[in-house]
Amino acid sequence: MERKNLWQTYSEAQIRELEEVNAQYRICLDEGKTERECVKKTIELAEAEGYRNMKDLIKAGTKIHAGDKVYMDYMGKAIVLFQAGTAPVEEGMNILGAHIDSPRIDVKQNPLYENEGLAYLDTHYYGGVKKYQWLSIPLALHGVIVKKNGEKVEVCVGEKETDPVLVINDLLPHLGARQREKLAKDFIDGEQMDLLIGNRPEDKEENAVTRRIKNLLKERYDVEEEDFLSAELEIVPAGKARDCGLDNSMILAYGQDDRVCAFTSLFAILRAEEVARTSCCLLVDKEEIGSTGASGMTSRFFENAVAEYVLLNEGVEYNDIVLRRTLANSKMLSSDVSAGFDPMYEDVYEKRNAAFLARGPVFNKYTGSGGKSGSNDANPEYIAQLRQIMEEAGVNFQTAELGRVDVGGGGTIAYLMSVYGMEVIDSGVAVLGMHAPWETTSKADVYEAVRCYEAFLKAEF
């Protein structure tokens, strides 16, 4: 089943709207390079559209009515948005779920050291990365440092034109003969990936370079070296999202896995007008390391948020069975990216079941690996419903698997949501160079994903 290149189908008006959506998307990528920044940006955009903080409603005892828009953030690293529908909440919700963490490099708790006049921060990579891709590129430092008194200091170095950038150095090719003989996974050891942050000594004494760094930290942020113990500092590529291609048809940016799905899901719920079923946009942390931790999908923060939402609904007598029915009757798109077909590496794909750029959002019936291990494997009845919804909305989509059988695989949050008995399928945007410091998407797919997600939220099932 051949799918059309979307650029051949759009009117001039749609092209203009496409460019507007992508301009907003690039801004979100630039301002949301960490999960905390993504949550902050989400709240900013949501409140501008009339969303209220559920925690404030809980304190005030304010009830939710049809059409009301609310959100609940969790630890500043995950967030859920609800738009109340006209149908009873226990008939279920239409849920868009994506993750806002991306592969990166984290700073260790005791990181600062000096070696032969060079100051470094010790690091530990996060998620599935090709370590060699992070060498000798401009890097930025984002995050928070929390002092013992609870004061939170925000850090962002390397993004402004006047900022310095940071780097993890590679070995020069003249001395790299033995390095080049290694497998790619062994090209550099994880403990060698330390961030170079300084070279200028404070004085003529020993460890004078790190002493200068400590003084700068005190001067600029009023923090001590010991405050690294309670810091969350993330090393990401420095620089803004850019149009890609001589025809400006694509976007090159860091973190598009999975923020291309997160922000398009957010745009969709903010655009959705009156809905019959409660609409929900769920943006979570820690997917890249197995969805673990309090802000990951294996925790119960989403279930707790839904319980609070049900309790706040006017006229609903809360009990456990109402919560269970609400969750079980829900439908979900697990909005996560797909591996875009790259003709430079076509031997790892199976073309009839591959995702292509500019052919629309991708429905993955199953992810996992090998014999579908670890996959959700969506039901055909649900897929048929989605086909009908997309056809009626005029949305173009494609279907795919994550590469050839027995070559690789991957997972999403889909199977973690299906434990409630709801129908779930993976649905996202095709990405080239997934998990690289810079990833590539098609502007057409970004635009079509918003249309897809909005149509889903409005569906009555």
Side-chain angles (χ1 to χ4, degrees), residues 29-297:
L29 288 175
D30 293 340
E31 297 183 12
K33 284 195 169 183
T34 70
E35 56 277 15
R36 289 179 184 269
E37 292 171 353
C38 287
V39 169
K40 182 178 179 181
K41 187 63 179 178
T42 296
I43 292 173
E44 174 194 320
L45 294 176
E47 289 185 341
E49 295 296 327
Y51 277 77
R52 295 177 292 167
N53 192 332
M54 277 178 60
K55 295 174 184 176
D56 294 337
L57 273 63
I58 293 168
K59 287 180 181 178
T62 305
K63 289 293 185 178
I64 292 173
H65 304 84
D68 285 351
K69 302 173 182 179
V70 296
Y71 70 86
M72 178 175 282
D73 81 279
Y74 197 75
M75 299 182 175
K77 300 176 71 174
I79 189 167
V80 190
L81 292 82
F82 300 97
Q83 180 177 347
T86 55
V89 66
E90 65 182 280
E91 292 184 7
M93 304 176 289
N94 292 353
I95 304 170
L96 299 171
H99 67 90
I100 50 178
D101 64 316
S102 293
R104 60 176 189 262
I105 302 171
D106 287 342
V107 175
K108 289 185 180 180
Q109 285 185 284
N110 186 23
L112 183 59
Y113 73 95
E114 182 175 335
N115 192 346
E116 298 299 335
L118 299 175
Y120 293 92
L121 290 179
D122 202 358
T123 71
H124 193 142
Y125 62 92
Y126 173 101
V129 301
K130 292 181 177 178
K131 291 176 286 185
Y132 63 83
Q133 292 181 326
W134 290 77
L135 307 180
S136 298
I137 63 172
L139 298 171
L141 190 65
H142 292 237
V144 295
I145 300 172
V146 184
K147 298 197 255 186
K148 286 186 293 186
N149 63 5
E151 180 186 351
K152 189 178 296 183
V153 180
E154 294 189 0
V155 176
C156 182
V157 179
E159 298 295 355
K160 297 177 182 177
E161 289 187 6
T162 54
D163 280 355
V165 293
L166 309 167
V167 70
I168 299 170
N169 281 310
D170 194 5
L171 180 64
L172 62 160
H174 311 71
L175 302 178
R178 283 186 294 179
Q179 183 190 54
R180 290 194 296 273
E181 294 174 357
K182 296 180 179 180
L183 296 175
K185 68 181 182 66
D186 302 319
F187 197 75
I188 183 170
D189 185 81
E191 290 291 358
Q192 292 177 289
M193 297 180 67
D194 290 350
L195 191 69
L196 181 62
I197 62 168
N199 174 232
R200 182 178 173 182
E202 181 73 0
D203 48 45
K204 296 182 180 181
E205 304 298 323
E206 190 177 355
N207 294 321
V209 178
T210 50
R211 186 154 51 255
R212 182 174 182 83
I213 295 297
K214 292 175 189 178
N215 290 340
L216 289 172
L217 290 171
K218 183 65 177 177
E219 175 187 326
R220 295 177 184 177
Y221 302 105
D222 192 28
V223 296
E224 309 286 349
E225 181 182 6
E226 189 174 299
D227 290 324
F228 278 119
L229 294 174
S230 49
E232 184 174 78
L233 298 172
E234 303 178 11
I235 301 163
V236 300
K240 294 181 178 294
R242 301 286 298 273
D243 278 6
C244 181
L246 295 178
D247 55 1
N248 294 80
S249 62
M250 297 168 286
I251 288 179
L252 183 71
Y254 165 68
Q256 296 198 79
D257 176 12
D258 182 39
R259 292 170 191 148
V260 67
C261 296
F263 287 125
T264 50
S265 294
L266 175 63
F267 295 167
I269 197 169
L270 296 183
R271 283 167 50 142
E273 298 173 356
E274 183 176 309
V275 292
R277 288 160 60 88
T278 290
S279 294
C280 174
C281 178
L282 168 65
L283 307 179
V284 301
D285 184 22
K286 301 256 188 327
E287 192 274 346
E288 295 294 358
I289 57 171
S291 296
T292 54
S295 53
M297 204 63 248

